[in-house]
Amino acid sequence: AFCPTTCQCGRAVESSSCPLPFGISCDRLGDRFCLTLNGRHYCPGLTPYRHATLFSKMATNDATIVDPLLPQIQAAHEETVRLLTGATDQLLFTQSSRLGKSFWTTFFFFEVDERLNVTDIDDRITAANANVSEVEANLTEQLLLLSLPVDVLAFVVLRVGDGNSRGKVHVPPI
């Protein structure tokens, strides 16, 4: 079942004739970190996926500097992950978070077609962790492209790795 954007299907009308892909109401697909692409829905635990997080740390904790830049910092994290993994359409980012000097972006990869297998993502993330300085250089380049104060932020990439699901590849039974 595909969730149309025009029928007002949501939490209040779950018992109506609104579609329930994977038994989930259309409004709750985002809460479950589902990706909607080309008329199909992909959800963790129901379709093959990989869940991981890019962890980094800034040199500054100055909210007057960092807070206005958070959308651009998140964009730099996202582009870094895209470049590291080669994934584009298969990628869904959750909201980035900051706690003090730490900043992280969690992302999900879904097997949407034969172009990219989620197990390939594991290999690419493993390779990235073997060369964290390359990840850091890539993130710095993305920050520079967005005209961010790289010298003030001075990001250090800690790791790219397991998210809350322990980074397991999940392929649902057929």
Side-chain angles (χ1 to χ4, degrees):
F2 181 69
C3 288
T5 57
T6 57
C7 78
Q8 304 296 317
C9 290
R11 288 178 174 93
V13 288
E14 284 184 22
S15 62
S16 73
S17 63
C18 289
L20 294 171
F22 303 119
I24 304 168
S25 72
C26 295
D27 278 2
R28 293 191 178 159
L29 287 171
D31 297 343
R32 295 277 308 270
F33 306 114
C34 296
L35 171 69
T36 300
L37 179 70
N38 298 328
R40 294 196 58 197
H41 303 291
Y42 304 88
C43 295
L46 302 170
T47 52
Y49 77 102
R50 170 67 157 94
H51 175 216
T53 303
L54 171 59
F55 297 94
S56 60
K57 193 168 187 174
M58 297 176 278
T60 183
N61 191 25
D62 186 340
T64 61
I65 295 172
V66 176
D67 288 351
L69 302 176
L70 287 177
Q72 293 99 324
I73 293 170
Q74 179 175 345
H77 268 78
E78 291 175 4
E79 189 57 26
T80 298
V81 170
R82 279 188 187 92
L83 291 169
L84 288 173
T85 61
T88 54
D89 294 344
Q90 306 89 337
L91 203 50
L92 174 73
F93 287 98
T94 64
Q95 184 175 353
S96 294
S97 301
R98 179 173 77 90
L99 181 61
K101 295 179 179 184
S102 298
F103 190 88
W104 61 94
T105 301
T106 301
F107 44 95
F108 290 83
F109 296 93
F110 294 94
E111 232 173 72
V112 298
D113 58 34
E114 66 283 347
R115 290 180 296 151
L116 183 68
N117 187 300
V118 290
T119 54
D120 295 339
I121 296 298
D122 281 328
D123 295 339
R124 293 175 187 172
I125 290 173
T126 299
N129 275 320
N131 192 355
V132 174
S133 60
E134 181 180 328
V135 179
E136 199 169 297
N138 191 297
L139 178 59
T140 299
E141 181 180 344
Q142 296 309 313
L143 293 166
L144 286 169
L145 288 171
L146 293 169
S147 301
L148 295 177
V150 174
D151 53 333
V152 174
L153 296 174
F155 266 98
V156 175
V157 172
L158 303 177
R159 73 180 192 276
V160 181
D162 295 346
N164 293 335
S165 68
R166 303 300 305 144
K168 302 291 184 207
V169 170
H170 176 81
V171 179
I174 296 175

